[in-house]
Structures are given as structure tokens and as C-alpha cells.
């Protein structure tokens, strides 16, 4: 007998999971499905992300629904719109062979009238985010009286996000329910409280160690000074050419700024955060899912519960404040039995958090050095060689061109051809990383707990500055959001920026114009003047944006705290002198 059938699932569902290629139930499915199929037992399922919780509750739900009754019989409550859509999507697949079962996703940010209309059609399973659900209840668009099953998915997340009152409201108003099924990756006291207040002797199942991380995930961390975070991020991306990853930031501003900067440098990246319209979010998620985006940068709220297949890396641009959030972030990779890597960029003052994380998820973290510029180049090079060797030449009509190619390259050695091919691909990398600084120096300047090494640190910071100067050869690159589409050609563009800034042509280096934006090399000493003169001006009803393209990444609050530290350091000796 098929293993899913053995759990008590009907043939339609068994067929559907077979169609999905599920060979055997995951542990949580094995333990949850038989209990849930009874329909009357309250249930708590604790399992890390990626263990198949959706099917664990989705399959029993689909079996318990009475298709002849066209009203809401089950309510699945989950924290975000993305998750809501994902669950509905999964249910859709699970019920492929089951007849007359209707599901509807209801969430904020989309037309409520449309959702109300759809609900009226006689939906039996409603998948909802808490806010919108309450809205619908208050508008009497959904009748909870006949709801038999309430599923709380990612319960810990919903509580983290402040949905406690909403959940209370839903549980208080589903008085005829027969059971509550709660799923969570972790078991904080607030989740415990729900079970105490609303559940009757729930059956609790824990898969793996409680609060444990996924064993398929390799946790690594990098200690870098605050001002090198962005550069370190870039290196980690460059060092992993096949990366399909999600980067987490604490704030929307960070997500937005970093994505813009990386996109400008040519990375396929987009940000996902609460300020986007739903349509924009869908678009970003769609592109990421189909892998036309290599990187997604997201805030915790926006990325909660996202199940995207094959994410190879999760990067923490900063460690989260709340340690449990780490489990959720890292759980975006290493899903469905695959392995994944979670990289965290931390400041030396954050390393104590690593210890508590190790305890919490019961896994070891590996301290790794940020790769050097050379390492990155080497890695990219090997990746390129692999790509070159794996290029598919079977389909094109290359035979036709071969004689010409052979003739053209007759006098050129293989070495030279390879060199040229490589240079096409690599010049920008080699240039960017030549003289790249070592990012691993710890930021001892700001770290008052290590006063004895203060001398080294100062040497270090001096070295950093000289490296930096050497790297940009006196020029810095500016980004501007004007390009050929604005009706410029190179000469008129040059004229425009020089006129606006009152600078001489001699201060400029290379100008690189694209459709929508351009890059300008400029004497480092004059860059500020040009930005001040041009940034914020209007051109053809558009606000011009101009900023440094490759400089050290400064977040607004870095400026404050970094400056503060700097000041203290310079004042200290003076103070001491005046005391003498
Ligand atoms: P969770 O909710 O626990 O984080 P999901 O339900 O999103 O996890 O499932 C994670 C992934 O594992 C999904 O892509 C899902 O299709 C897949 N999956 C679930 N159950 C099985 C199974 N029994 N066999 C193989 N893959 C499965
Ligand atoms: Mg889930």
C-alpha cells in the first residue's frame, strides 16, 4: 500500500501527491495526518520550516470537507499575503482530483469586493491573513458559525507580527468549531498561551528538536567592520556565482537602497518589502520564483514563510534582533531535503549573538573570512570556465560559420583566444577587485571592550584608507538617472553636467551612457561638488538623482554612530592633554 494511503488519505489525494512526485510522507505529515483526519482533536505541530507542514494540514482538510455543503467549513489563518497565496496554490494542487471543493485566498491589499463576491460562490476553505479576515467578518461577508476547522499556520510568526488580538477574535468567534490545528516552527510563550486558552488537551507533535535549525543548513558568519558590510555582501555574492539567494535586512530602507545599488552594478536583484504595492510584490516574487531574478532582498515581514524551491543561500545583511527570526530566515534555504547555506555578516560586537544562536538552534556556526578580491576572481574564473565548457553548441548552425572562424583565427593561438574571451568576461571583475581591501579587519575602533589592541586598530584604519585611495585611482564613479532616452548624446550630456556644476572637462574620466542612466568617472575631489550641483535638480519634469556609485556604503544611521565614535577618538587625547 502507498504510504500516503496508509495514513488514511483517500485515493484522489493519494493520486494528487503522487502527481506532485511526493514519494513518502515527511515526518510531520506522518504524525499529523492520521490525528487530523479524526477531525475532532486539537493539534499542535512543531516543525522547522520546509518540512511539509502545508500538506500535513492541507490533505486532511480536503478530505474532511463536505463537498455537498457550500459554505465555509475550514479557515486557514496565516501571517502574510504571500503565504496565503502559496497555501491556496498548494491546496489547488492537492485537490486536483477531488471534486467540488472550493478554496479562496483572502488578504489585504487586494480588492475586498472581489473577495466578497468569490466567497459568496460557496467556498469551503478560506485561507486568510488575520487583518483581512477580521474585515470580512465585520462586513458579514464570511460566516464563522459553520466553520469546523481552524488552522493557524506559522502561529509564532503571526504572534511576532502582533496579530494576537486578531487571532483571539477569530478563535472566540468560531464557536462551533470541532478542532484547532496549530502549526509553528517555534514554541514561544504566546503560542503556548493560545493552546492553554483555546485548545482542549491538544495532541502535540514535535518533529526534530524543538526550536532546532534545519540540519541541512550550513551556518557561516563573517565578522566585518560596520562600514564594510555592503562591500562584504557584494563579495559574498561574487564569490558564489551560482547563488540563488535571499538577503535579509532589518529595515525597508536598507532593502531598497542595497537593491538599487546592486542593481546599478549589474546584479539581478529586487527588493521585497511592505512599501511595495501588492502588484509590485507579486511581480517581484514571480520573477524570483522563475529565477529570472537571482537575488531577492527582503525584510522579515515581507519574506515570511515564502517557499521557493532551490534557494541556495540566505544572507543576513545584519543579524536579526530577535533570535527566533534567524530560524525563519535561514529556513528559506535547505528546504525539502536539499542543502543550503546561511551566511551572516556581523560586527564584532554581535558575535556574542552567535553563541546564543548556536544554543538555540543547536547547530554549530562556522566563522569564515570574507573572501579576498583574489579569491573572488579565481572563483569567478573557474565558474566561467565551467560555463564555457558546458555551453550548448548542439543547436546552432555553427558548421556554417566554422570555416570563417577558422580562417579569422588561423594565426591566433589558442592561448590568445582564451585570453581574449576571458578578458571580455573578466576585465570588470579584475579591475574592481585589483587592490581590493581585506574586509576581515575587525572594527576595534568602536569596540571598547578590547582596549589593549587599540594600537593595532589605528594602524589598521590608516591602512584601510590608503588602500581605498589606491583602489579608485583618484576617480570615483557617479550614477545619474539620465541617459540617451532623455535625448542626450555624449557631447550634449557632457555639456549639460559641466554647465550645471560649473566644473571643467578635465575633472572627468570615462562616461558611460545607457538608455535610462549613466555613469560618470570624476576626480574624487570634485565629486561632491558635482553631486551637490546636480542631485535633486529637475530635468524635463523629472528629478535628477545623482550619487556615488562605488563608494563605501553608508547607511543613514552609520553616519551618526560612526561619526560619534570618530569624534570620541580624536577628542580623547586632547582631553587627556588638558588634564595634565
Ligand atoms: P513548511 O510549511 O513546513 O515550511 P512546506 O509545506 O512549504 O513546508 O513544504 C516545503 C516543500 O517541501 C514544498 O516545496 C513541498 O512541495 C515539499 N514537500 C512537502 N511534502 C513533501 C513530501 N512528502 N515529499 C516531497 N516533497 C514534499
Ligand atoms: Mg509553511
Amino acid at each position: 500500500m502507498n504510504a500516503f494511503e496508509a495514513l488514511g488519505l483517500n485515493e484522489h489525494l493519494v493520486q494528487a501527491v503522487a502527481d506532485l512526485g511526493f514519494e513518502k510522507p515527511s515526518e510531520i505529515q506522518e504524525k499529523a495526518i492520521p490525528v487530523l483526519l479524526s477531525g475532532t482533536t486539537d493539534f499542535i505541530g512543531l516543525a522547522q520550516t520546509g518540512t511539509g507542514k502545508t500538506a500535513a494540514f492541507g490533505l486532511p482538510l480536503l478530505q474532511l470537507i463536505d463537498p455537498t455543503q457550500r459554505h465555509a467549513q475550514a479557515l486557514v489563518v496565516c501571517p502574510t499575503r504571500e503565504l496565503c497565496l502559496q497555501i491556496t496554490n498548494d491546496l489547488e494542487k492537492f485537490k486536483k482530483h477531488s471534486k467540488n471543493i472550493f478554496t479562496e485566498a483572502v488578504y489585504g491589499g487586494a480588492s475586498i469586493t472581489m473577495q466578497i463576491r468569490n466567497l459568496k460562490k460557496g467556498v469551503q476553505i478560506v485561507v486568510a491573513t488575520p487583518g483581512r479576515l477580521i474585515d470580512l467578518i465585520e462586513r458579514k461577508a464570511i460566516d464563522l458559525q459553520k466553520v469546523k476547522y481552524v488552522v493557524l499556520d506559522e502561529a509564532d510568526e503571526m504572534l511576532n507580527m502582533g496579530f494576537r488580538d486578531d487571532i483571539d477574535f477569530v478563535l472566540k468567534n468560531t464557536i462551533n468549531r470541532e478542532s484547532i490545528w496549530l502549526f509553528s516552527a517555534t514554541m514561544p510563550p504566546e503560542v503556548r498561551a493560545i493552546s492553554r486558552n483555546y485548545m482542549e488537551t491538544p495532541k502535540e507533535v514535535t518533529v526534530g528538536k524543538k526550536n532546532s535549525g534545519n540540519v541541512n543548513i550550513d551556518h557561516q558568519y563573517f565578522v566585518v567592520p560596520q562600514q564594510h558590510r555592503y562591500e562584504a555582501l557584494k563579495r559574498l555574492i561574487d564569490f558564489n556565482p551560482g547563488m540563488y539567494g535571499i538577503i535579509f535586512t532589518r529595515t525597508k530602507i536598507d532593502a531598497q537602497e542595497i537593491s538599487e545599488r546592486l542593481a546599478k552594478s549589474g546584479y539581478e536583484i529586487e527588493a521585497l518589502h511592505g512599501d511595495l504595492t501588492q502588484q509590485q510584490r507579486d511581480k517581484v516574487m514571480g520573477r524570483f520564483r522563475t529565477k529570472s531574478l537571482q537575488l531577492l532582498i527582503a525584510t522579515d515581514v515581507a519574506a515570511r514563510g515564502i517557499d521557493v524551491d532551490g534557494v541556495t543561500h540566505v544572507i543576513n545583511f545584519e543579524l536579526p534582533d530577535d533570535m527566533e527570526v534567524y530560524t525563519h530566515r535561514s529556513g528559506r534555504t535547505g528546504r525539502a531535503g536539499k542543502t543550503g547555506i546561511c551566511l551572516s555578516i556581523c560586527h564584532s560586537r554581535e558575535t556574542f549573538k552567535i553563541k546564543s544562536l548556536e544554543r538555540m538552534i543547536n547547530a554549530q556556526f562556522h566563522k569564515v573570512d570574507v573572501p579576498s578580491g583574489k579569491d573572488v576572481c579565481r572563483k569567478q574564473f573557474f565558474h566561467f570556465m565551467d560555463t564555457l565548457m558546458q555551453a550548448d553548441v548542439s543547436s546552432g548552425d555553427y558548421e556554417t560559420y566554422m570555416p570563417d572562424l577558422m580562417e579569422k583565427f588561423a594565426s591566433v593561438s589558442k592561448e590568445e583566444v582564451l585570453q581574449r574571451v576571458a578578458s571580455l568576461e573578466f576585465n570588470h571583475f579584475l579591475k574592481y577587485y585589483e587592490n581590493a581591501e581585506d574586509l576581515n579587519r575587525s572594527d576595534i575602533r568602536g569596540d571598547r571592550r578590547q582596549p589593549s589592541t587599540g594600537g593595532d586598530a589605528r594602524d589598521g584604519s590608516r591602512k584601510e584608507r590608503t588602500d581605498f585611495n589606491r583602489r579608485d585611482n583618484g576617480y570615483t564613479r557617479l550614477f545619474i538617472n539620465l541617459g540617451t532616452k532623455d535625448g542626450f548624446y555624449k557631447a550634449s550630456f557632457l555639456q549639460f553636467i559641466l554647465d550645471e556644476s560649473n566644473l571643467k572637462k578635465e575633472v572627468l574620466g570615462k562616461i558611460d551612457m545607457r538608455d535610462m542612466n549613466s555613469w560618470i568617472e570624476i576626480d574624487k575631489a570634485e565629486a561632491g561638488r558635482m553631486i551637490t550641483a546636480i542631485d535633486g535638480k529637475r530635468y524635463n519634469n523629472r528629478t535628477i538623482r545623482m550619487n556615488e556609485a562605488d563608494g563605501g556604503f553608508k547607511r543613514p544611521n552609520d553616519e551618526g554612530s560612526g561619526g560619534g565614535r570618530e569624534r570620541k577618538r580624536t577628542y580623547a587625547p586632547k582631553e587627556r592633554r588638558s588634564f595634565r
Side-chain angles (χ1 to χ4, degrees):
M1 184 154 67
N2 170 297
F4 283 98
E5 199 181 339
L7 298 177
L9 294 171
N10 68 37
E11 55 182 320
H12 305 302
L13 298 170
V14 170
Q15 185 56 48
V17 287
D19 292 351
L20 283 170
F22 294 5
E23 281 166 7
K24 56 179 184 22
S26 68
E27 196 180 343
I28 185 76
Q29 290 162 4
E30 202 162 50
K31 289 180 172 161
I33 291 172
V35 181
L36 298 180
L37 280 174
S38 80
T40 49
T41 315
D42 283 339
F43 181 86
I44 298 176
L46 295 174
Q48 65 215 18
T49 50
T51 49
K53 294 192 283 293
T54 319
F57 66 76
L59 295 170
L61 266 194
L62 291 168
Q63 182 150 328
L64 289 171
I65 293 307
D66 179 354
T68 63
Q69 300 293 312
R70 300 290 298 269
H71 56 75
Q73 299 173 42
L75 198 56
V76 179
V77 192
C78 64
T80 63
R81 165 199 162 88
E82 272 75 25
L83 198 52
C84 200
L85 288 168
Q86 204 168 279
I87 292 170
T88 323
N89 201 13
D90 285 351
L91 290 177
E92 215 58 53
K93 291 180 190 149
F94 300 153
K95 74 181 177 74
K96 189 172 138 197
H97 302 291
S98 311
K99 289 210 172 60
N100 295 322
I101 301 184
F102 301 91
T103 58
E104 183 67 22
V106 294
Y107 43 80
S111 153
I112 196 165
T113 35
M114 185 79 106
Q115 290 174 357
I116 292 175
R117 204 175 315 142
N118 288 345
L119 287 175
K120 287 226 173 80
K121 289 183 189 153
V123 166
Q124 295 118 336
I125 303 179
V126 179
V127 185
T129 54
R132 179 52 59 100
L133 180 59
I134 303 289
D135 232 6
L136 290 165
I137 295 170
E138 282 170 352
R139 292 175 188 226
K140 302 211 169 6
I142 179 168
D143 177 12
L144 298 188
Q145 297 308 309
K146 292 179 182 159
V147 168
K148 287 185 175 176
Y149 317 104
V150 178
V151 182
L152 303 175
D153 190 25
E154 307 240 354
D156 51 350
E157 283 306 327
M158 290 199 280
L159 293 162
N160 268 347
M161 290 166 74
F163 287 136
R164 193 190 167 137
D165 291 347
D166 298 331
I167 291 171
D168 272 333
F169 185 86
V170 170
L171 292 177
K172 283 198 182 111
N173 286 284
T174 43
I175 41 175
N176 294 317
R177 63 166 186 262
E178 291 178 2
S179 51
I180 301 175
W181 311 351
L182 182 153
F183 287 84
S184 189
T186 60
M187 191 65 171
E190 297 89 334
V191 176
R192 192 53 77 200
I194 289 192
S195 101
R196 236 192 351 260
N197 295 341
Y198 298 101
M199 293 181 165
E200 257 170 71
T201 52
K203 167 104 177 122
E204 185 171 323
V205 164
T206 304
V207 167
K209 238 172 129 42
K210 235 179 246 184
N211 288 357
S212 82
N214 181 331
V215 288
N216 293 328
I217 301 173
D218 181 19
H219 303 270
Q220 304 179 1
Y221 69 102
F222 304 81
V223 180
V224 300
Q226 181 69 12
Q227 72 270 26
H228 287 339
R229 256 185 223 277
Y230 174 79
E231 194 56 34
L233 172 66
K234 204 161 164 185
R235 268 206 215 164
L236 295 180
I237 297 169
D238 287 342
F239 189 65
N240 295 283
M243 173 186 292
Y244 176 44
I246 304 180
I247 301 159
F248 283 96
T249 60
R250 283 198 209 150
T251 66
K252 289 178 221 169
I253 298 177
D254 276 355
Q256 189 60 41
E257 285 185 1
I258 296 170
S259 84
E260 279 177 17
R261 279 197 71 182
L262 286 173
K264 266 178 231 158
S265 310
Y267 295 80
E268 292 158 355
I269 183 169
E270 284 209 55
L272 190 73
H273 55 66
D275 281 357
L276 302 183
T277 64
Q278 299 300 353
Q279 216 180 358
Q280 287 171 317
R281 284 157 63 120
D282 283 350
K283 204 167 142 210
V284 172
M285 273 316 294
R287 291 191 58 205
F288 186 62
R289 244 179 244 287
T290 55
K291 300 199 175 176
S292 49
L293 266 190
Q294 182 198 4
L295 302 165
L296 186 69
I297 183 162
T299 55
D300 292 302
V301 176
R304 216 141 257 166
I306 286 177
D307 175 38
V308 174
D309 211 28
V311 169
T312 59
H313 290 75
V314 163
I315 304 183
N316 292 307
F317 183 68
E318 283 169 309
L319 284 175
D321 285 325
D322 180 353
M323 292 291 109
E324 288 199 341
V325 170
Y326 184 92
T327 322
H328 288 277
R329 289 184 176 185
S330 58
R332 299 307 113 211
T333 181
R335 296 176 79 75
K338 296 200 180 99
T339 55
I341 301 174
C342 184
L343 309 173
S344 299
I345 303 173
C346 10
H347 186 273
S348 57
R349 275 169 304 179
E350 289 177 311
T351 49
F352 75 95
K353 287 188 184 170
I354 298 289
K355 289 278 165 295
S356 30
L357 279 174
E358 285 186 326
R359 269 195 303 277
M360 189 183 91
I361 64 172
N362 192 35
Q364 244 213 311
F365 278 60
H366 307 284
K367 182 172 184 297
V368 180
D369 279 348
V370 180
S372 68
K374 267 209 180 70
D375 293 339
V376 171
C377 292
R378 198 176 308 122
K379 192 73 176 275
Q380 286 283 347
F381 209 84
F382 279 104
H383 180 72
F384 170 70
M385 290 195 291
D386 284 344
T387 321
L388 190 68
M389 290 311 289
Q390 283 161 14
D392 180 13
V393 290
S394 62
S395 52
D397 183 18
Y398 297 103
E399 297 294 315
T400 326
Y401 301 103
M402 273 331 274
D404 289 337
L405 275 176
M406 294 306 283
E407 197 188 319
K408 182 101 188 163
F409 289 95
S411 62
V412 189
S413 72
K414 184 170 167 185
E415 284 76 19
E416 200 180 336
V417 174
L418 284 176
Q419 223 171 43
R420 284 173 193 274
V421 171
S423 94
L424 279 180
E425 190 75 9
F426 280 105
N427 273 354
H428 71 285
F429 259 113
L430 296 175
K431 210 161 156 193
Y432 185 82
Y433 279 116
E434 103 184 322
N435 301 322
E437 35 185 332
D438 176 4
L439 302 181
N440 294 296
R441 222 182 305 278
S442 70
D443 186 18
I444 304 165
R445 280 181 291 165
D447 195 337
R448 311 221 158 274
R449 284 169 303 147
Q450 298 182 29
S452 58
T453 48
D456 296 338
R458 270 195 294 281
D459 290 344
S461 64
R462 213 167 26 238
K463 170 114 193 333
E464 277 163 22
R465 266 195 295 277
T466 45
D467 280 357
F468 186 74
N469 288 339
R470 197 157 11 109
R471 187 183 64 197
D472 38 47
N473 289 329
Y475 277 134
T476 185
R477 240 157 50 105
L478 301 183
F479 165 85
I480 183 167
N481 62 344
L482 293 178
T484 49
K485 281 254 162 70
D486 296 290
F488 284 117
Y489 46 99
K490 228 173 214 167
S492 61
F493 181 66
L494 202 69
Q495 195 63 50
F496 174 78
I497 55 174
L498 291 175
D499 284 353
E500 288 295 325
S501 59
N502 236 333
L503 287 164
K504 293 235 149 37
K505 191 167 173 281
E506 286 69 40
V507 304
L508 297 179
K510 238 179 74 192
I511 302 227
D512 184 5
M513 294 193 75
R514 303 280 162 86
D515 289 353
M516 309 292 286
N517 43 42
S518 310
W519 285 269
I520 303 158
E521 270 188 347
I522 181 169
D523 187 338
K524 210 170 156 43
E526 303 294 347
R529 177 126 56 116
M530 178 163 280
I531 294 174
T532 318
I534 293 181
D535 185 48
K537 274 233 168 85
R538 295 190 66 81
Y539 182 78
N540 277 352
N541 283 328
R542 231 152 42 92
T543 306
I544 306 178
R545 222 155 35 81
M546 177 181 254
N547 54 267
E548 218 166 319
D550 306 321
F553 184 69
K554 279 258 183 211
R555 298 172 329 113
N557 38 0
D558 287 349
E559 229 114 43
S561 62
R565 281 203 296 276
E566 205 56 46
R567 262 197 305 284
K568 264 182 212 131
R569 205 161 53 84
T570 35
Y571 286 155
K574 270 195 208 145
E575 274 163 24
R576 239 177 280 130
R577 240 175 281 138
S578 66
F579 275 121
R580 262 183 231 132

